[in-house]
Amino acid sequence: MADKHGTDGAVLVVGGGISGLTTALEAAEVGHDVFLIEKSPTFGGRVAQLNEYFPKMCPPSCGLEINFRRIRDNRKIRTYTMATVKSISGTPGNYEVTLTIAPRYVNSNCAACGLCAEACPDEIDNPFNFGMDKCKAIYLPHEMAFPRRYVINKEGLSEAGAKAIKKACKYEAVDLDMEEETVTLHVASIVWATGWEPYQATNMENLSFGKSDAIITNMMMERLAAPNGPTSGKIVIPNSDKEITSVGFVQCAGSRDENHLEYCSHICCMATFKQMTYVREQYPDAKIYVFYIDLRTPGKYEKFREARMADANAEFIKGKVAEIIPEDDGVVLIAENTLTMEKLSQKVDLVVLATGMQPALQVQGEVPAGLTMDSNGFVISDEIQGMFAAGCAKKASDVVTTTQNSTAAALKAIQVSRRARING
Ligand SMILES: Cc1cc2nc3c(=O)[nH]c(=O)nc-3n(C[C@H](O)[C@H](O)[C@H](O)COP(=O)(O)OP(=O)(O)OC[C@H]3O[C@@H](n4cnc5c(N)ncnc54)[C@H](O)[C@@H]3O)c2cc1C
């Protein structure tokens, strides 16, 4: 099935995280038609997975829910979930973009009542919680999900499961015959707000990720500490109820390393300082070790760092972790303290790998026509092409920086659109 949409001067925003939401709202609120498309079943991106965000330490609902409401209320914005760009043709001011819409297998009748999930016998690894718990094969991606509509993982659904969920749904919303759709858009400019993926921790063999439940990534720590996470917010060793007495944070896990990510992701030091707070709130006496190359918390974040470094039960070791050895009753970190030249072997209950942010488009591997990227996969804005980058698609950064550069991208996209209207 193919649909055609578009008006003169419309802006396409690809990616519905905090950057895409911001770009779409900025462009629409000055009167431009906007198409906002998102690959996953729900908007919000990685911010939705955070427990709290620095520096104010508020829950993600703070920023996201307001934006969701503004998007819902703005008739200039048309949204698509489970949508990706298939092809782009034309020229700046006059692009034809073909989207592929993957089947959700749940139609718009869904009232998110949850009866289907209750009836469903099949479970899958919960993608929102990085597989640290299970969810049903028909699920609401998370409690803040927008749109508030269930989605089916068809591979995880048995025949009995399919029958059970169809029977349980009072609204005839389950549609297992749904097929991939194609939609064609006419737009003047395109903003790429496709964000980032956590760098794959298994790529660093010496850090033993996957060999022990007691070795997790910083994004897993966000989910562990979150009240809506796999342990209802209790920081324990995943897949057990084991509480912790010590934790080791491994900074630059794969970052600033030409064999992995050669750049600094800018936020990992701040994320660790934030996560020290999570630990301290639950374990006032736990010992915290932070292994680092440099601590980077520029500008206004210096105060945040200073407050965490005043923790008497926290030790900061300047030295890159060379090896992590899982043992039956803990994990051993091997490093060299570069200030004292001492070789260290520190045993802890839990290790958090501060993995960096890799541009999502680079991980996905398909570069759409006309898009310019740097050698690390970050998108370079190109005014002549009418294509701009916003948020972490442009550079690894915190939420404040991403929203600022999203506003800038919206302005640039509007300029191309205006020129198209005047010339067209
Ligand atoms: C451990 C950790 C903790 C952090 N904590 C904080 C914090 O406390 N405070 C703070 O300010 N920052 C924090 N950050 C940084 C923050 O997560 C980013 O600044 C933010 O996610 C950037 O938003 P974004 O919209 O650019 O990208 P994303 O959040 O990645 O959103 C991008 C969206 O685009 C979609 N997408 C991807 N590819 C496509 C495609 N091809 N087509 C369509 N859609 C696509 C994705 O599904 C996603 O929804 C943290 C980062 C880490 C790693």
Side-chain angles (χ1 to χ4, degrees):
M1 202 166 103
D3 269 345
K4 275 199 169 196
H5 305 284
T7 56
D8 284 349
V11 177
L12 169 63
V13 180
V14 186
I18 191 72
S19 309
L21 295 168
T22 306
T23 309
L25 282 163
E26 297 283 25
E29 286 178 0
V30 291
H32 280 259
D33 285 316
V34 175
F35 296 99
L36 172 63
I37 72 159
E38 165 58 46
K39 187 172 191 279
S40 78
T42 170
F43 293 97
R46 295 281 169 197
V47 166
Q49 287 180 298
L50 304 179
N51 171 38
E52 291 173 342
Y53 47 140
F54 61 71
K56 289 192 178 157
M57 303 298 272
C58 44
S61 52
C62 275
L64 287 179
E65 276 177 357
I66 297 163
N67 281 325
F68 292 162
R69 196 170 58 235
R70 286 165 71 200
I71 297 264
R72 254 194 308 264
D73 292 347
N74 195 315
R75 298 175 69 103
K76 289 272 173 197
I77 303 175
R78 190 144 178 193
T79 59
Y80 295 89
T81 50
M82 310 200 64
T84 47
V85 172
K86 187 177 174 197
S87 65
I88 301 171
S89 59
T91 49
N94 186 21
Y95 278 123
E96 182 169 297
V97 180
T98 309
L99 306 182
T100 302
I101 317 280
R104 180 187 276 267
Y105 304 114
V106 175
N107 65 32
S108 56
N109 292 346
C110 178
C113 66
L115 291 175
C116 55
E118 270 174 38
C120 182
D122 306 314
E123 287 190 328
I124 57 165
D125 284 346
N126 185 347
F128 194 64
N129 290 335
F130 300 99
M132 286 187 286
D133 64 353
K134 301 274 179 195
C135 64
K136 294 295 180 69
I138 182 163
Y139 61 100
L140 193 64
H142 54 85
E143 59 192 23
M144 222 185 354
F146 166 62
R148 198 160 178 73
R149 202 197 297 182
Y150 277 63
V151 58
I152 292 176
N153 176 325
K154 213 173 175 189
E155 287 77 52
L157 190 69
S158 64
E159 229 171 89
K163 270 194 194 142
I165 61 173
K166 273 189 153 231
K167 194 168 165 214
C169 181
K170 292 189 281 190
Y171 305 98
E172 298 192 351
V174 175
D175 179 0
L176 294 168
D177 297 325
M178 216 178 245
E179 286 183 2
E180 187 177 281
E181 285 180 36
T182 301
V183 171
T184 305
L185 306 178
H186 283 113
V187 296
S189 55
I190 304 174
V191 177
W192 297 88
T194 38
W196 60 281
E197 294 283 341
Y199 186 64
Q200 188 56 257
T202 45
N203 288 352
M204 285 84 65
E205 274 186 32
N206 57 326
L207 302 186
S208 299
F209 181 74
K211 295 186 183 147
S212 161
D213 285 338
I215 305 172
I216 63 172
T217 65
N218 49 7
M219 279 307 285
M220 291 167 79
M221 180 58 139
E222 291 294 328
R223 297 311 306 142
L224 264 190
N228 64 352
T231 54
S232 304
K234 183 79 191 153
I235 300 171
V236 288
I237 308 295
N239 300 314
S240 79
D241 293 333
K242 201 171 164 256
E243 297 197 341
I244 57 168
T245 59
S246 55
V247 54
F249 287 94
V250 177
Q251 297 309 108
C252 292
S255 297
R256 302 172 65 195
D257 179 338
E258 58 187 26
N259 295 314
H260 298 285
L261 301 181
E262 65 178 20
Y263 53 89
C264 165
S265 281
H266 292 284
I267 57 81
C268 313
C269 291
M270 276 299 285
T272 289
F273 286 121
K274 173 180 69 165
Q275 295 181 352
M276 282 178 67
T277 310
Y278 301 164
V279 173
R280 193 49 82 226
E281 277 165 4
Q282 297 190 23
Y283 298 102
D285 300 322
K287 189 84 192 160
I288 298 173
Y289 302 90
V290 180
F291 293 82
Y292 67 95
I293 307 176
D294 301 294
L295 292 172
R296 293 181 166 173
T297 53
K300 59 189 183 299
Y301 292 147
E302 282 293 81
K303 290 243 174 314
F304 195 94
R305 176 186 61 76
E306 279 166 18
R308 272 71 192 174
M309 287 187 84
D311 185 326
N313 240 349
E315 206 175 306
F316 292 83
I317 302 124
K318 188 169 169 68
K320 193 171 169 158
V321 169
E323 194 182 0
I324 297 179
I325 306 166
E327 294 189 347
D328 289 345
D329 58 344
V331 187
V332 177
L333 298 159
I334 310 286
E336 182 176 316
N337 184 327
T338 56
L339 297 179
T340 60
M341 304 309 276
E342 218 186 330
K343 284 227 158 49
L344 288 174
S345 163
Q346 182 62 57
K347 191 159 181 172
V348 291
D349 290 335
L350 181 70
V351 169
V352 182
L353 304 177
T355 47
M357 304 197 274
Q358 187 171 17
L361 282 183
Q362 194 194 42
V363 178
Q364 291 162 19
E366 281 172 32
V367 183
L371 193 62
T372 318
M373 287 153 93
D374 71 14
S375 59
N376 291 311
F378 291 105
V379 176
I380 298 173
S381 292
D382 184 340
E383 196 151 350
I384 295 169
Q385 279 291 341
M387 293 206 196
F388 304 96
C392 287
K394 182 184 177 77
K395 63 173 194 172
S397 47
D398 59 359
V399 171
V400 172
T401 310
T402 62
T403 51
Q404 284 167 349
N405 74 28
S406 301
T407 303
L411 178 62
K412 284 292 178 192
I414 290 168
Q415 287 170 351
V416 173
S417 299
R418 288 273 159 97
R419 275 201 292 273
R421 274 186 187 166
I422 292 161
N423 298 336

